[in-house]
Amino acid sequence: MTRSEAQEDVTEIPSSNRSTRWWLRQDSKSVVIEAPPERIYQLVADLSRMGHWSPECRQVEWLAGSTGPAEGATFIGHNRGGPFGLMKWSRRGRVLTADPGRGFAFVTEEGGRESTEWRYRLEPVEGGTRVTESYTVRWIPTWARIVDVPTNRARELRQGMRHTLTQLKVAAEATPSDR
């Protein structure tokens, strides 16, 4: 499957509490991938490979003796985005859920507080696995909310989830797996 064919398969999940240009709250995207959930879990839970899927994440490093996806494991992610990719930032994070074949979740920090929770839900469906990527903003500082408006961060995050799911679909479907 080509990247453009895979991108057409990504769908939005309707929500009345969805992020808008003016206020980040939560959002999600979903895609059916022709691969077993365990295989997809291996891809999304390997945070050191997140830069392969995400257009924003460049690199992730495990911290404090953490070596892989386990509840409580900590990491730092290095990102680049915004207009023309000129903004760079790093965030510490902590794994919340590491449930092979079912789901993976982590939360990032901003200003020493838990900020944004990211989730990958894996649901077996006919023909493969429905993967839903979502985020929920718990807290972000006022300055970040101000910057979010002119940069249209909500749109950027939706486009980023579409890209991430498309890349995961292409990679998972290109890899032979046990069905």
Side-chain angles (χ1 to χ4, degrees):
M1 174 172 283
T2 67
R3 185 179 185 288
S4 60
E5 289 170 330
Q7 193 169 26
E8 290 174 11
D9 292 339
V10 177
T11 59
E12 280 186 25
I13 310 291
S15 171
S16 60
N17 200 25
R18 187 174 146 194
S19 292
T20 67
R21 179 178 185 136
W22 311 110
W23 198 258
L24 286 178
R25 293 179 191 94
Q26 63 185 21
D27 217 329
S28 61
K29 296 273 187 194
S30 185
V31 68
V32 173
I33 299 177
E34 295 176 18
E38 295 78 14
R39 172 66 186 130
I40 299 165
Y41 175 86
Q42 291 173 347
L43 297 174
V44 298
D46 184 357
L47 288 180
S48 65
R49 294 186 65 196
M50 188 58 75
H52 295 284
W53 326 127
S54 168
E56 189 169 277
C57 179
R58 295 296 181 243
Q59 180 184 4
V60 175
E61 303 167 76
W62 294 107
L63 298 175
S66 299
T67 58
E71 290 180 18
T74 56
F75 62 90
I76 187 164
H78 306 284
N79 305 289
R80 178 180 230 147
F84 309 107
L86 295 175
M87 299 171 73
K88 292 182 183 180
W89 66 97
S90 296
R91 294 283 179 273
R92 290 185 178 272
R94 179 176 54 85
V95 175
L96 300 172
T97 305
D99 191 358
R102 298 192 61 196
F104 182 72
F106 59 89
V107 64
T108 59
E109 291 180 5
E110 171 71 38
R113 293 175 64 177
E114 290 187 345
S115 175
T116 305
E117 182 178 312
W118 288 91
R119 289 198 170 274
Y120 295 87
R121 189 175 71 237
L122 311 174
E123 303 169 87
V125 296
E126 188 174 326
T129 304
R130 178 180 316 284
V131 180
T132 302
E133 179 182 12
S134 63
Y135 72 86
T136 302
V137 175
R138 295 181 177 184
W139 176 87
I140 55 176
T142 303
W143 69 263
R145 293 238 183 237
I146 292 167
V147 169
D148 289 347
V149 174
T151 62
N152 199 345
R153 182 74 171 136
R155 179 184 65 209
E156 187 176 55
L157 290 174
R158 278 193 288 279
Q159 290 171 343
M161 287 188 293
R162 176 179 292 275
H163 179 91
T164 299
L165 291 173
T166 298
Q167 295 297 97
L168 280 170
K169 182 175 177 70
V170 170
E173 291 179 357
T175 304
S177 59
D178 300 331
R179 284 212 190 231

